[in-house]
Amino acid sequence: AQTVTQSQPEMSVQEAETVTLSCTYDTSENNYYLFWYKQPPSRQMILVIRQEAYKQQNATENRFSVNFQKAAKSFSLKISDSQLGDTAMYFCAFMSPHGSGNTGKLIFGQGTTLQVKP
Amino acid sequence: NAGVTQTPKFQVLKTGQSMTLQCAQDMNHEYMSWYRQDPGMGLRLIHYSVGAGITDQGEVPNGYNVSRSTTEDFPLRLLSAAPSQTSVYFCASSWWQGNEKLFFGSGTQLSVL
């Protein structure tokens, strides 16, 4: 069974600095999707970035980028130029692709609470 | 286009009471699902549906019941609420099962006393 582990329950960073959130996962599949979701105090689940395992190039979305290490089963999120609005809980998640018999289920890590300090 | 709408946003129940969490989407999505979020455990799948009339269990289905009579609606029923069901509940939908673009509702905070 697939598992996702986020080993940092809480992190903090100064505004304008860079922070990296860690995520490791376990799977025997070769193709899959990995995600980072942001959950601000409003509770809304917001997709930050998505990576397809067959793509070697790391995904980027503005100030957010990932370091995807497939062999090491590692998927970290880097936030550059941190802003106060980045304060939130961040979840790493895994999904098997369509057609592999999966349920469409997202498997989530435990979450990392990020505090951006002024 | 409202997306995924969940009601209510907050609810307090007494042990043994029943209630239904509502979820509706207006995007003609085939796939709908329910997750619960607990501290230190992330989100876990409760039940899911791949189309009207078809439902199946997820990772933590005990104590919950679902049905899917229309494409738009996927209600989650608690028949006899227990304190262990205190959680935040999310509904999520996508165009088909396994599609990686999931749309989440805004969540329901449920407390069972």
Side-chain angles (χ1 to χ4, degrees), chain B residues 7 40 60 63:
Chain B
T7 56
V60 287

Side-chain angles (χ1 to χ4, degrees), chain B residues 40-101:
Chain B
M41 303 188 74
L43 283 74
R44 292 175 295 166
L45 182 67
I46 305 172
H47 284 286
Y48 66 96
S49 169
V50 299
I54 307 170
T55 64
D56 207 344
Q57 296 181 352
E59 186 181 353
V60 287
N62 292 341
Y64 306 97
N65 201 1
V66 293
S67 60
R68 183 104 178 262
S69 57
T70 67
T71 299
E72 294 78 19
D73 300 298
F74 190 45
L76 179 72
R77 297 183 185 85
L78 285 70
L79 299 179
S80 179
S84 61
Q85 293 178 305
T86 293
S87 189
V88 178
Y89 291 85
F90 286 95
C91 181
S93 70
S94 64
W95 280 283
W96 59 82
Q97 182 182 21
N99 181 274
E100 76 278 11
K101 191 168 176 60

